[in-house]
Amino acid sequence: MSVQIENIVLHKLIRKSDTEIELQLRDSLLGNEQAVANLIEDINRIYNNKSKAYGLFSSESLFEQSLKELRLGNQDFLNFSQESTKQLRNELAKYPFAEGGTVVFCHYRYLAVEYLIIAVLNSCLSMLVNEELNISETQYLDIDHADIIARIDITEWETSAESKRYLTFLKGRVGRKVSDFFMDYLGASEGLDAKAQNKTLVKAVDDYCQEMQFDKQDKTSARENVYNYCQAQLQAGEEIELKNLANELPTSDENNFMEFVKNSEYDLEDTFPVDRSALRQLKKFSGSGGGLTISFNSDLLGERIKWDPQTDSLVIKGVPPNLRDQLQRNSGSNE
């Protein structure tokens, strides 16, 4: 990835107590040194590899108003970042679990598209050995575990007012989502639900296979083709395009996948991001609950694994050897 950095600055939020966060504001922009470019490319690399939500600014967003002033030239990037960091400090102070960190504001261009990325990065201690083999402590930015990052596609925001996806942000994992207060700070709400789009796609593919009366082998092949197409798009950093995906599925004189989707109420966008977890359903069946976790390849259903909907039970033929060993040890049987 090669980015053209227009403006970049760092500020710092230092947690002092449950209700107090100290500000350390930089008074000048960073230069375009190689280390600066490496930082932004690393942030983007981590960001692109994590699950994201898609959103848009609400009508009352103070952040959006400030961004508009920046774009109109009524304030410079440094002042914009300083005032925005103050707003972020006020939002973070409401949540004792939210730590401080180094705040990165970067306006850059990539492939003729303008972006603004905002990240809050924690610092970690590490050991440094110098040329005299003496040990000292050093700090580094923990980019690999960053979970407070948002990116605004400025080009789409300015040219497509109806868009529900020009703002993307990472989703938190535990407790109250880390992303919640970050979205409050941005004055934004969730827009396009990529996971829901992918789940709907899986259902549409299965329904299409049933409509086409595919046998088990043809259905497995169709699901495999769709999965491979989506994985290729994911690896290339591209989105799913329905018209291209439709080419991966068999057609008949009376039916094709694009027409099937249009004539049904699936509410699929023409293009949408790949959600890796949702697409696993094309390859595997899995579920957990009540102390039980089960996962198996979808092509095993009806072969080694049979489901009886009347009794809500699974019959497994050919228990995996490592599981069989555990069962034998537990039962005391050597058979």
Side-chain angles (χ1 to χ4, degrees), residues 60-82:
E60 305 296 325
S61 172
L62 296 177
F63 183 90
E64 183 182 31
Q65 294 304 315
S66 182
L67 183 57
K68 286 180 178 178
E69 292 297 307
L70 172 67
R71 299 295 289 174
L72 289 171
N74 295 332
Q75 65 174 330
D76 60 30
F77 190 82
L78 179 62
N79 180 256
F80 162 75
S81 69
Q82 290 173 335

Side-chain angles (χ1 to χ4, degrees), residues 23-239:
L23 275 177
Q24 182 180 339
L25 298 177
R26 185 180 167 90
D27 59 7
S28 63
L29 300 178
L30 290 171
N32 285 342
E33 295 87 2
Q34 187 59 47
V36 173
N38 292 343
L39 169 67
I40 297 306
E41 291 187 3
D42 281 349
I43 291 174
N44 271 284
R45 173 179 55 81
I46 295 300
Y47 186 69
N48 290 334
N49 289 333
K50 291 193 175 185
S51 296
K52 291 174 285 293
Y54 298 77
L56 65 162
F57 292 120
S58 66
S59 59
E60 305 296 325
S61 172
L62 296 177
F63 183 90
E64 183 182 31
Q65 294 304 315
S66 182
L67 183 57
K68 286 180 178 178
E69 292 297 307
L70 172 67
R71 299 295 289 174
L72 289 171
N74 295 332
Q75 65 174 330
D76 60 30
F77 190 82
L78 179 62
N79 180 256
F80 162 75
S81 69
Q82 290 173 335
E83 293 304 312
S84 293
T85 303
K86 292 176 183 177
Q87 294 173 16
L88 178 58
R89 185 269 308 272
N90 295 338
E91 196 63 44
L92 286 176
K94 299 176 184 178
Y95 306 101
F97 68 85
E99 300 178 2
T102 299
V103 186
V104 181
F105 283 82
C106 183
H107 168 215
Y108 67 93
R109 296 175 187 269
Y110 178 63
L111 298 179
V113 178
E114 286 189 77
Y115 294 98
L116 173 66
I117 197 163
I118 306 169
V120 181
L121 307 176
N122 292 326
S123 295
C124 292
L125 284 175
S126 183
M127 296 295 108
L128 180 67
V129 179
N130 62 20
E131 293 179 356
E132 288 76 32
L133 301 183
N134 291 319
I135 298 175
S136 61
E137 286 188 339
T138 186
Q139 283 196 340
Y140 68 92
L141 294 174
D142 190 12
I143 300 174
D144 287 346
H145 297 101
D147 58 5
I148 305 179
I149 307 178
R151 185 170 65 188
I152 300 157
D153 184 330
I154 295 176
T155 301
E156 183 169 347
W157 170 62
E158 291 183 331
T159 59
S160 303
E162 74 287 352
S163 172
K164 296 181 180 180
R165 53 194 295 182
Y166 54 75
L167 191 155
T168 59
F169 59 98
L170 296 185
K171 284 191 168 183
R173 292 186 297 266
V174 294
R176 177 180 164 87
K177 292 186 297 186
V178 173
S179 58
D180 285 356
F181 62 74
F182 205 44
M183 291 301 283
D184 290 343
Y185 150 68
L186 293 172
S189 57
E190 290 198 41
L192 177 72
D193 190 335
K195 184 181 286 291
Q197 286 282 298
N198 281 255
K199 287 184 175 180
T200 300
L201 173 63
V202 173
K203 183 179 188 308
V205 170
D206 283 344
D207 290 348
Y208 180 71
C209 290
Q210 184 173 352
E211 177 80 9
M212 296 287 285
Q213 298 182 341
F214 289 164
D215 59 24
K216 185 177 186 298
Q217 183 176 351
D218 287 340
K219 181 177 180 179
T220 299
S221 177
R223 289 166 66 100
E224 183 82 19
N225 289 343
V226 171
Y227 180 83
N228 289 340
Y229 166 80
C230 294
Q231 282 295 102
Q233 294 299 99
L234 179 64
Q235 292 172 8
E238 302 291 339
E239 296 191 352

Side-chain angles (χ1 to χ4, degrees), residues 222-279:
R223 289 166 66 100
E224 183 82 19
N225 289 343
V226 171
Y227 180 83
N228 289 340
Y229 166 80
C230 294
Q231 282 295 102
Q233 294 299 99
L234 179 64
Q235 292 172 8
E238 302 291 339
E239 296 191 352
I240 294 170
E241 296 189 28
L242 274 187
K243 64 179 181 180
N244 291 337
L245 182 144
N247 295 331
E248 305 296 324
L249 294 169
T251 63
S252 67
D253 293 337
E254 296 81 20
N255 214 345
N256 65 70
F257 186 67
M258 280 300 294
E259 290 299 319
F260 178 77
V261 169
K262 288 180 180 179
N263 295 332
S264 305
E265 297 181 356
Y266 291 110
D267 196 24
L268 283 170
E269 301 282 335
D270 290 336
T271 64
F272 51 90
V274 181
D275 184 274
R276 185 184 289 107
S277 61
L279 287 174

